[in-house]
Coordinates of all heavy atoms in Angstrom, one line a residue:
M1 N -7.3 -0.2 11.3 CA -6.2 -0.8 10.6 C -6.1 0.0 9.3 O -6.9 0.3 8.7 CB -6.4 -2.3 10.3 CG -5.2 -3.1 10.0 SD -5.0 -3.2 8.1 CE -6.1 -4.6 7.8
F2 N -4.8 0.2 9.0 CA -4.5 0.8 7.7 C -3.2 0.1 7.0 O -2.4 -0.5 7.8 CB -4.4 2.3 7.7 CG -3.1 2.7 8.5 CD1 -1.9 3.0 7.9 CD2 -3.3 3.0 9.9 CE1 -0.8 3.5 8.7 CE2 -2.2 3.5 10.6 CZ -0.9 3.7 10.0
I3 N -3.1 0.3 5.8 CA -1.9 -0.3 5.0 C -1.0 0.7 4.8 O -1.3 1.8 4.3 CB -2.4 -0.9 3.7 CG1 -3.6 -1.9 3.8 CG2 -1.2 -1.6 3.0 CD1 -3.4 -3.1 4.5
L4 N 0.3 0.6 5.2 CA 1.3 1.5 5.0 C 1.8 1.5 3.6 O 2.5 0.4 3.3 CB 2.4 1.4 6.1 CG 3.5 2.5 6.0 CD1 3.0 3.8 6.4 CD2 4.6 2.1 6.9
E5 N 1.7 2.5 2.8 CA 2.2 2.5 1.4 C 3.3 3.3 1.2 O 4.2 3.1 0.5 CB 1.0 2.8 0.5 CG 0.1 1.6 0.2 CD -1.3 2.0 -0.2 OE1 -1.6 3.2 -0.1 OE2 -2.0 1.0 -0.5
S6 N 3.3 4.5 1.9 CA 4.4 5.5 1.8 C 4.6 6.3 3.0 O 3.7 6.4 3.8 CB 4.2 6.4 0.5 OG 3.2 7.4 1.0
K7 N 5.7 6.9 3.1 CA 6.0 7.6 4.3 C 5.2 9.0 4.4 O 4.9 9.5 5.4 CB 7.6 7.9 4.4 CG 8.4 6.8 5.0 CD 9.8 7.2 5.3 CE 10.5 6.2 6.2 NZ 11.9 6.5 6.2
D8 N 4.8 9.4 3.2 CA 4.1 10.6 3.1 C 2.7 10.6 3.9 O 2.3 11.6 4.5 CB 3.6 11.0 1.6 CG 4.9 11.2 0.8 OD1 6.0 11.3 1.2 OD2 4.8 11.1 -0.4
Q9 N 2.2 9.4 3.9 CA 0.9 9.1 4.8 C 1.1 9.5 6.2 O 0.2 9.9 6.8 CB 0.7 7.6 4.7 CG -0.2 7.0 3.7 CD -0.3 5.5 3.9 OE1 0.7 4.9 3.7 NE2 -1.5 5.0 4.1
L10 N 2.4 9.3 6.6 CA 2.6 9.5 8.1 C 3.0 10.8 8.5 O 3.0 11.2 9.6 CB 3.8 8.5 8.5 CG 3.6 7.0 8.4 CD1 4.9 6.3 8.7 CD2 2.5 6.6 9.4
E11 N 3.3 11.6 7.5 CA 3.9 13.0 7.8 C 3.1 13.7 8.8 O 3.7 14.2 9.8 CB 3.9 13.8 6.5 CG 5.3 14.6 6.4 CD 5.5 15.1 5.0 OE1 5.8 14.2 4.1 OE2 5.1 16.3 4.7
K12 N 1.9 14.0 8.6 CA 1.0 14.7 9.6 C 1.0 14.0 10.9 O 1.2 14.7 12.0 CB -0.4 14.8 9.0 CG -0.5 16.0 8.1 CD -1.9 16.2 7.7 CE -2.1 17.1 6.4 NZ -3.3 17.0 5.8
A13 N 0.9 12.8 11.0 CA 0.8 12.0 12.2 C 2.0 12.0 13.0 O 2.1 12.1 14.2 CB 0.4 10.5 11.8
I14 N 3.3 12.0 12.2 CA 4.5 12.2 12.9 C 4.6 13.5 13.6 O 5.1 13.5 14.7 CB 5.6 11.9 12.0 CG1 5.7 10.4 11.7 CG2 7.0 12.4 12.5 CD1 6.6 10.0 10.5
I15 N 4.1 14.6 12.9 CA 4.3 15.9 13.5 C 3.4 16.0 14.8 O 3.9 16.5 15.9 CB 3.8 17.0 12.5 CG1 4.8 17.1 11.3 CG2 3.6 18.3 13.1 CD1 4.3 17.8 10.0
K16 N 2.3 15.4 14.7 CA 1.4 15.4 15.9 C 2.0 14.5 17.0 O 2.0 14.9 18.2 CB 0.1 14.7 15.5 CG -0.9 14.4 16.7 CD -1.9 15.5 16.8 CE -2.7 15.5 18.0 NZ -4.0 14.7 18.0
A17 N 2.6 13.4 16.7 CA 3.3 12.6 17.7 C 4.4 13.3 18.4 O 4.7 13.2 19.6 CB 3.9 11.2 17.0
K18 N 5.2 14.1 17.6 CA 6.3 14.8 18.2 C 5.8 16.0 19.0 O 6.3 16.2 20.1 CB 7.1 15.4 17.0 CG 8.1 14.4 16.5 CD 9.0 15.0 15.4 CE 9.9 13.9 14.8 NZ 10.5 14.3 13.5
K19 N 4.7 16.6 18.7 CA 4.0 17.6 19.5 C 3.6 17.1 20.8 O 3.7 17.7 21.8 CB 3.0 18.3 18.7 CG 3.3 19.5 18.0 CD 2.0 20.2 17.4 CE 2.4 21.2 16.4 NZ 1.2 21.6 15.5
T20 N 3.0 16.0 20.7 CA 2.5 15.3 21.9 C 3.6 14.7 22.8 O 3.3 14.3 23.9 CB 1.4 14.3 21.4 OG1 0.7 14.7 20.3 CG2 0.5 13.8 22.5
R21 N 4.8 14.6 22.2 CA 5.9 13.8 23.0 C 5.4 12.5 23.4 O 5.4 12.1 24.6 CB 6.3 14.6 24.1 CG 7.0 15.9 23.8 CD 7.5 16.6 24.9 NE 7.9 18.0 24.6 CZ 8.7 18.7 25.3 NH1 9.1 18.3 26.5 NH2 9.1 19.9 25.0
A22 N 5.0 11.7 22.4 CA 4.4 10.4 22.5 C 5.3 9.4 23.3 O 6.6 9.5 23.0 CB 4.1 9.8 21.2
T23 N 4.8 8.8 24.3 CA 5.5 7.8 25.0 C 5.3 6.4 24.3 O 4.1 6.0 24.3 CB 5.1 7.7 26.4 OG1 5.1 9.1 27.0 CG2 5.9 6.8 27.3
V24 N 6.4 5.8 23.8 CA 6.2 4.5 23.2 C 6.9 3.4 24.0 O 8.0 3.5 24.4 CB 6.8 4.5 21.7 CG1 6.5 3.2 21.0 CG2 6.3 5.7 20.9
K25 N 6.1 2.4 24.3 CA 6.7 1.3 25.1 C 6.7 0.1 24.2 O 5.9 -0.2 23.4 CB 5.7 0.9 26.3 CG 5.9 1.8 27.4 CD 5.5 1.1 28.8 CE 4.0 1.0 29.0 NZ 3.7 0.5 30.4
F26 N 8.0 -0.5 24.3 CA 8.3 -1.7 23.5 C 7.7 -2.9 24.3 O 8.0 -3.1 25.5 CB 9.8 -1.8 23.4 CG 10.2 -3.1 22.7 CD1 10.3 -3.2 21.3 CD2 10.6 -4.1 23.4 CE1 10.6 -4.4 20.6 CE2 11.0 -5.4 22.8 CZ 11.1 -5.4 21.4
I27 N 6.8 -3.6 23.6 CA 6.2 -4.8 24.2 C 7.0 -6.1 23.6 O 7.6 -6.8 24.4 CB 4.7 -5.0 24.0 CG1 4.1 -3.8 24.7 CG2 4.2 -6.3 24.5 CD1 2.6 -3.6 24.5
K28 N 7.0 -6.2 22.4 CA 7.9 -7.1 21.7 C 8.0 -6.6 20.2 O 7.3 -5.7 19.8 CB 7.3 -8.6 21.7 CG 6.0 -8.7 21.0 CD 5.5 -10.2 21.0 CE 4.2 -10.3 20.2 NZ 3.5 -11.6 20.3
F29 N 8.9 -7.3 19.4 CA 9.1 -6.7 18.1 C 7.8 -6.8 17.3 O 7.2 -7.9 17.2 CB 10.2 -7.6 17.4 CG 10.5 -7.1 16.0 CD1 11.2 -5.9 15.9 CD2 10.0 -7.7 14.8 CE1 11.5 -5.4 14.6 CE2 10.3 -7.3 13.6 CZ 11.1 -6.1 13.5
G30 N 7.3 -5.6 16.9 CA 6.0 -5.5 16.1 C 4.9 -5.1 16.9 O 3.8 -4.8 16.4
V31 N 5.0 -5.1 18.3 CA 3.9 -4.7 19.2 C 4.4 -3.6 20.1 O 5.4 -3.9 20.9 CB 3.3 -5.9 19.9 CG1 2.1 -5.5 20.8 CG2 2.9 -7.1 19.0
Y32 N 3.7 -2.5 20.2 CA 4.2 -1.5 21.0 C 2.8 -0.8 21.7 O 1.7 -1.0 21.3 CB 4.8 -0.3 20.1 CG 5.8 -1.0 19.2 CD1 5.5 -1.3 17.9 CD2 7.0 -1.1 19.7 CE1 6.5 -2.0 17.1 CE2 8.0 -1.8 18.9 CZ 7.7 -2.2 17.6 OH 8.6 -2.8 16.8
A33 N 3.1 -0.1 22.8 CA 2.0 0.5 23.5 C 2.4 2.1 23.5 O 3.4 2.5 23.7 CB 1.9 0.1 24.9
V34 N 1.4 2.9 23.0 CA 1.7 4.4 23.0 C 0.6 5.0 24.0 O -0.5 4.7 23.9 CB 1.4 4.8 21.5 CG1 1.5 6.4 21.5 CG2 2.5 4.3 20.5
R35 N 1.2 5.9 24.7 CA 0.3 6.6 25.6 C -0.6 7.7 24.9 O 0.0 8.6 24.3 CB 1.0 7.3 26.8 CG 0.0 7.8 27.8 CD 0.7 7.9 29.2 NE 1.8 8.8 29.1 CZ 2.8 9.0 30.1 NH1 2.5 8.2 31.3 NH2 3.7 9.8 30.2
G36 N -1.9 7.6 25.0 CA -2.8 8.5 24.4 C -2.9 9.8 25.2 O -2.3 9.9 26.3
S37 N -3.6 10.7 24.7 CA -3.7 12.1 25.3 C -4.4 12.1 26.6 O -4.2 13.0 27.5 CB -4.4 13.0 24.4 OG -5.6 12.4 23.9
K38 N -5.1 11.0 27.0 CA -5.8 10.9 28.3 C -5.0 10.0 29.3 O -5.6 9.7 30.3 CB -7.3 10.4 28.0 CG -8.2 11.4 27.5 CD -9.5 10.9 27.0 CE -10.1 11.9 26.1 NZ -11.0 11.2 25.1
G39 N -3.8 9.7 28.8 CA -3.0 8.8 29.8 C -3.3 7.3 29.6 O -2.5 6.5 30.2
N40 N -4.2 7.0 28.8 CA -4.4 5.5 28.5 C -3.5 5.1 27.5 O -2.9 5.9 26.7 CB -5.8 5.4 28.0 CG -6.2 6.3 26.9 OD1 -5.8 7.4 26.8 ND2 -6.9 5.8 25.9
F41 N -3.3 3.8 27.4 CA -2.3 3.3 26.4 C -3.0 2.5 25.3 O -4.1 1.8 25.6 CB -1.4 2.3 27.1 CG -0.1 2.9 27.7 CD1 -0.2 3.3 29.1 CD2 1.0 3.2 26.9 CE1 0.9 4.0 29.7 CE2 2.1 3.8 27.6 CZ 2.0 4.2 28.9
Y42 N -2.5 2.7 24.2 CA -3.1 2.0 23.0 C -2.1 1.0 22.5 O -0.8 1.4 22.4 CB -3.4 3.0 21.8 CG -4.5 4.1 22.0 CD1 -4.2 5.2 22.3 CD2 -5.8 3.6 22.1 CE1 -5.2 6.2 22.5 CE2 -6.8 4.4 22.3 CZ -6.6 5.8 22.5 OH -7.5 6.6 22.7
T43 N -2.5 -0.2 22.2 CA -1.6 -1.2 21.7 C -1.5 -1.0 20.2 O -2.6 -1.0 19.5 CB -2.1 -2.6 22.1 OG1 -2.2 -2.6 23.5 CG2 -1.1 -3.6 21.7
I44 N -0.4 -0.9 19.6 CA -0.2 -0.9 18.1 C 0.6 -2.1 17.7 O 1.6 -2.5 18.3 CB 0.6 0.4 17.7 CG1 -0.4 1.6 18.0 CG2 0.9 0.4 16.2 CD1 -0.1 2.2 19.3
E45 N 0.0 -2.7 16.6 CA 0.8 -3.8 16.1 C 1.2 -3.5 14.6 O 0.4 -3.0 13.8 CB -0.3 -5.0 16.0 CG 0.4 -6.4 16.2 CD -0.7 -7.5 16.1 OE1 -1.7 -7.3 16.8 OE2 -0.5 -8.4 15.3
C46 N 2.5 -3.8 14.4 CA 3.0 -3.6 12.9 C 3.4 -4.8 12.4 O 4.2 -5.6 13.1 CB 4.2 -2.6 13.0 SG 4.0 -1.1 13.9
K47 N 2.8 -5.2 11.3 CA 3.1 -6.5 10.7 C 3.1 -6.5 9.3 O 2.5 -5.7 8.5 CB 2.3 -7.7 11.3 CG 0.9 -7.4 11.0 CD 0.1 -8.6 11.7 CE -1.5 -8.5 11.4 NZ -2.2 -9.5 12.2
K48 N 3.8 -7.5 8.7 CA 3.8 -7.7 7.3 C 3.0 -8.8 6.8 O 3.2 -10.0 7.4 CB 5.2 -7.8 6.8 CG 5.7 -6.9 5.7 CD 7.2 -7.1 5.3 CE 7.5 -6.5 4.0 NZ 8.8 -6.7 3.5
V49 N 2.0 -8.6 6.0 CA 1.2 -9.7 5.4 C 1.4 -9.7 4.0 O 0.9 -8.8 3.3 CB -0.3 -9.5 5.9 CG1 -1.1 -10.6 5.3 CG2 -0.4 -9.3 7.3
G50 N 2.1 -10.7 3.5 CA 2.5 -10.7 2.1 C 3.4 -9.5 1.8 O 4.3 -9.3 2.4
N51 N 2.9 -8.6 0.9 CA 3.7 -7.4 0.5 C 3.1 -6.2 1.3 O 3.6 -5.2 1.1 CB 3.7 -7.2 -1.0 CG 4.7 -8.1 -1.6 OD1 5.7 -8.5 -1.1 ND2 4.3 -8.7 -2.8
E52 N 2.1 -6.4 2.0 CA 1.4 -5.3 2.7 C 1.9 -5.1 4.1 O 2.2 -6.1 4.9 CB -0.1 -5.5 2.9 CG -0.8 -5.4 1.6 CD -2.3 -5.5 1.9 OE1 -2.7 -6.0 2.9 OE2 -3.1 -5.2 0.9
K53 N 2.2 -3.9 4.5 CA 2.6 -3.6 5.8 C 1.3 -3.1 6.6 O 0.9 -2.0 6.2 CB 3.6 -2.4 5.9 CG 5.0 -2.9 5.4 CD 5.9 -1.8 5.3 CE 7.3 -2.2 4.6 NZ 8.1 -1.0 4.2
Q54 N 0.9 -3.8 7.4 CA -0.3 -3.5 8.2 C 0.0 -2.9 9.5 O 0.9 -3.3 10.2 CB -1.3 -4.7 8.4 CG -1.7 -5.3 7.0 CD -2.7 -6.5 7.3 OE1 -2.8 -7.0 8.4 NE2 -3.2 -6.9 6.4
V55 N -0.8 -1.9 9.8 CA -0.6 -1.2 11.1 C -2.0 -1.3 11.8 O -3.0 -0.8 11.3 CB 0.0 0.2 10.9 CG1 0.1 0.8 12.4 CG2 1.2 0.3 10.2
I56 N -2.0 -1.8 13.0 CA -3.2 -2.0 13.7 C -3.2 -1.2 15.1 O -2.2 -1.4 15.8 CB -3.7 -3.4 13.9 CG1 -3.7 -4.2 12.6 CG2 -4.9 -3.6 14.7 CD1 -3.3 -5.7 12.8
C57 N -4.0 -0.2 15.2 CA -4.0 0.4 16.5 C -5.6 0.3 17.0 O -6.5 0.2 16.3 CB -3.8 1.9 16.2 SG -3.8 2.9 17.8
E58 N -5.6 0.3 18.3 CA -6.9 0.1 19.0 C -7.8 1.3 19.0 O -9.0 1.3 19.4 CB -6.7 -0.2 20.4 CG -5.9 -1.4 20.8 CD -5.7 -1.6 22.3 OE1 -5.3 -0.7 23.0 OE2 -6.1 -2.7 22.8
C59 N -7.3 2.5 18.6 CA -8.0 3.8 18.7 C -9.1 3.8 17.7 O -9.1 3.1 16.7 CB -7.2 5.0 18.7 SG -6.6 5.5 17.1
L60 N -10.0 4.7 18.0 CA -11.2 4.9 17.1 C -10.8 5.4 15.6 O -11.4 4.8 14.6 CB -12.1 6.0 17.7 CG -13.5 6.0 17.2 CD1 -14.3 4.7 17.7 CD2 -14.2 7.2 17.8
G61 N -9.8 6.3 15.5 CA -9.3 6.8 14.3 C -8.9 5.7 13.3 O -9.2 5.6 12.2
A62 N -8.0 4.9 13.9 CA -7.4 3.7 13.2 C -8.5 2.7 12.8 O -8.4 2.1 11.7 CB -6.4 3.0 14.0
S63 N -9.5 2.5 13.6 CA -10.5 1.5 13.3 C -11.3 2.0 12.1 O -12.0 1.3 11.4 CB -11.4 1.3 14.4 OG -12.3 2.5 14.7
K64 N -11.2 3.3 11.8 CA -11.9 3.9 10.6 C -10.9 4.0 9.4 O -11.3 4.6 8.3 CB -12.5 5.3 10.9 CG -13.5 5.3 11.8 CD -14.0 6.8 12.1 CE -15.1 6.8 13.2 NZ -15.2 8.2 13.7
G65 N -9.7 3.5 9.6 CA -8.7 3.5 8.5 C -7.9 4.7 8.4 O -7.2 4.9 7.5
L66 N -8.0 5.5 9.5 CA -7.1 6.7 9.4 C -5.8 6.4 10.0 O -5.5 5.5 10.9 CB -7.7 7.9 10.3 CG -9.1 8.2 10.0 CD1 -9.7 9.2 11.0 CD2 -9.1 9.0 8.6
V67 N -4.8 7.3 9.6 CA -3.4 7.1 10.1 C -3.3 7.9 11.3 O -3.3 9.1 11.3 CB -2.4 7.6 9.0 CG1 -1.0 7.4 9.6 CG2 -2.5 6.8 7.8
C68 N -3.3 7.3 12.5 CA -3.3 8.0 13.8 C -1.8 8.3 14.2 O -0.9 7.6 13.8 CB -4.1 7.2 14.8 SG -3.4 5.6 15.2
W69 N -1.7 9.2 15.1 CA -0.4 9.5 15.5 C 0.3 8.5 16.5 O 1.5 8.4 16.6 CB -0.3 10.9 16.2 CG -1.2 11.1 17.5 CD1 -2.4 11.5 17.6 CD2 -0.6 10.8 18.8 NE1 -2.8 11.5 18.9 CE2 -1.7 11.1 19.7 CE3 0.5 10.3 19.4 CZ2 -1.6 10.9 21.1 CZ3 0.6 10.2 20.8 CH2 -0.5 10.4 21.6
H70 N -0.6 7.6 17.1 CA -0.1 6.5 17.9 C 0.7 5.6 17.0 O 1.8 5.2 17.3 CB -1.3 5.7 18.6 CG -2.4 6.6 19.0 ND1 -3.6 6.4 18.5 CD2 -2.4 7.5 20.1 CE1 -4.4 7.3 19.2 NE2 -3.6 7.9 20.1
S71 N 0.1 5.3 15.8 CA 0.7 4.5 14.9 C 2.0 5.0 14.3 O 3.0 4.3 14.2 CB -0.3 4.2 13.7 OG -1.5 3.6 14.1
A72 N 2.0 6.3 14.1 CA 3.2 7.0 13.6 C 4.3 6.9 14.7 O 5.4 6.6 14.3 CB 2.9 8.4 13.3
A73 N 4.0 7.0 15.9 CA 5.0 6.9 16.9 C 5.5 5.5 17.0 O 6.7 5.4 17.2 CB 4.3 7.4 18.2
A74 N 4.6 4.6 17.0 CA 5.1 3.2 17.1 C 5.9 2.8 15.9 O 6.9 2.1 16.0 CB 3.9 2.2 17.3
L75 N 5.5 3.2 14.8 CA 6.2 2.9 13.5 C 7.6 3.5 13.4 O 8.5 2.8 13.0 CB 5.4 3.4 12.3 CG 4.4 2.4 11.7 CD1 3.6 3.1 10.7 CD2 5.1 1.3 11.1
S76 N 7.8 4.7 14.0 CA 9.1 5.2 14.0 C 10.1 4.4 14.9 O 11.3 4.2 14.4 CB 9.1 6.7 14.5 OG 8.7 6.8 15.8
L77 N 9.5 3.8 15.9 CA 10.4 2.9 16.6 C 10.5 1.5 15.9 O 11.7 1.0 15.8 CB 9.7 2.7 18.1 CG 10.4 1.6 19.0 CD1 11.8 2.2 19.4 CD2 9.6 1.4 20.2
H78 N 9.5 1.1 15.4 CA 9.4 -0.2 14.8 C 10.5 -0.3 13.5 O 11.2 -1.2 13.3 CB 8.1 -0.6 14.1 CG 8.0 -1.8 13.4 ND1 8.1 -3.0 14.1 CD2 7.8 -2.1 12.2 CE1 7.9 -4.0 13.2 NE2 7.8 -3.4 11.9
V79 N 10.4 0.9 12.7 CA 11.3 0.9 11.5 C 12.8 0.9 11.9 O 13.5 0.2 11.4 CB 11.0 2.2 10.7 CG1 12.1 2.5 9.7 CG2 9.6 2.1 10.1
G80 N 13.1 1.6 13.0 CA 14.5 1.6 13.5 C 14.8 0.2 14.0 O 16.0 -0.2 13.7
L81 N 14.0 -0.5 14.7 CA 14.3 -1.8 15.2 C 14.5 -2.8 14.0 O 15.3 -3.7 14.0 CB 13.2 -2.3 16.0 CG 13.1 -1.7 17.5 CD1 11.8 -2.0 18.2 CD2 14.3 -1.8 18.2
A82 N 13.6 -2.7 13.0 CA 13.7 -3.6 11.8 C 14.9 -3.4 11.1 O 15.5 -4.4 10.5 CB 12.4 -3.3 10.9
R83 N 15.3 -2.2 11.1 CA 16.6 -1.9 10.4 C 17.8 -2.5 11.1 O 18.6 -3.1 10.5 CB 16.8 -0.4 10.2 CG 17.8 0.1 9.1 CD 17.8 1.6 9.1 NE 16.5 2.0 8.5 CZ 15.9 3.3 8.8 NH1 16.5 4.1 9.7 NH2 14.9 3.6 8.2
Q84 N 17.7 -2.4 12.4 CA 18.8 -3.0 13.2 C 18.9 -4.6 13.1 O 19.9 -5.1 13.0 CB 18.6 -2.8 14.7 CG 19.1 -1.4 15.2 CD 18.8 -1.2 16.7 OE1 18.4 -2.1 17.4 NE2 18.9 0.0 17.0
R85 N 17.7 -5.1 13.1 CA 17.7 -6.6 12.8 C 18.3 -7.0 11.6 O 18.9 -8.1 11.5 CB 16.1 -7.0 12.8 CG 15.5 -7.0 14.2 CD 14.3 -7.8 14.2 NE 14.0 -8.3 15.5 CZ 13.2 -9.3 15.7 NH1 12.6 -9.9 14.7 NH2 13.0 -9.7 17.0
K86 N 18.0 -6.3 10.5 CA 18.6 -6.7 9.2 C 20.1 -6.6 9.2 O 20.7 -7.4 8.5 CB 18.0 -5.8 8.1 CG 16.7 -6.4 7.7 CD 16.0 -5.5 6.6 CE 14.5 -5.8 6.5 NZ 13.8 -4.7 5.9
T87 N 20.6 -5.6 9.8 CA 22.1 -5.4 9.7 C 22.8 -6.2 10.9 O 24.0 -6.4 10.7 CB 22.4 -3.9 9.9 OG1 21.8 -3.3 11.1 CG2 22.0 -3.0 8.6
A88 N 22.1 -6.6 11.9 CA 22.7 -7.2 12.9 C 23.1 -8.7 12.5 O 22.5 -9.3 11.7 CB 21.9 -7.3 14.2
Ligands
LIG1 ZN1 -4.3 5.1 17.2

């Protein structure tokens, strides 16, 4: 799990996600599944706790507090959806 503080944090992970052509599946608002490099799916949860934006991914990197590319892929979808919700 990591706390999202700025978009800069995600920059490298987003590049990796694009290179990998990440497949992101929408499960419900705030919960997504991203296909990992071995074909397995990781569940990513994006939620707001107080003023903190928490991102939880099942993978090993994220469990060590790293920004993984699965999270970046899920977040890019999440941010778009959150924006739509506010304007809708
Ligand atoms: Zn991950």
Side-chain angles (χ1 to χ4, degrees):
M1 192 267 275
F2 65 89
I3 311 292
L4 183 66
E5 279 155 353
S6 75
K7 275 190 176 171
D8 301 346
Q9 264 178 299
L10 293 173
E11 221 168 281
K12 277 184 194 161
I14 286 171
I15 292 166
K16 175 101 194 266
K18 281 184 181 160
K19 267 190 196 164
T20 318
R21 296 188 185 190
T23 307
V24 186
K25 279 210 281 191
F26 174 83
I27 294 172
K28 62 176 185 180
F29 185 72
V31 184
Y32 311 93
V34 175
R35 185 154 64 185
S37 46
K38 286 166 193 155
N40 53 324
F41 276 88
Y42 293 108
T43 306
I44 292 95
E45 212 180 313
C46 310
K47 60 182 178 184
K48 230 180 167 182
V49 180
N51 285 325
E52 279 182 356
K53 286 177 188 164
Q54 296 186 350
V55 184
I56 302 154
C57 179
E58 297 179 309
C59 77
L60 201 66
S63 73
K64 290 177 184 165
L66 299 171
V67 179
C68 61
W69 64 267
H70 321 114
S71 299
L75 269 168
S76 60
L77 178 63
H78 180 69
V79 168
L81 291 172
R83 202 173 290 146
Q84 276 180 15
R85 283 199 156 197
K86 275 178 201 158
T87 53

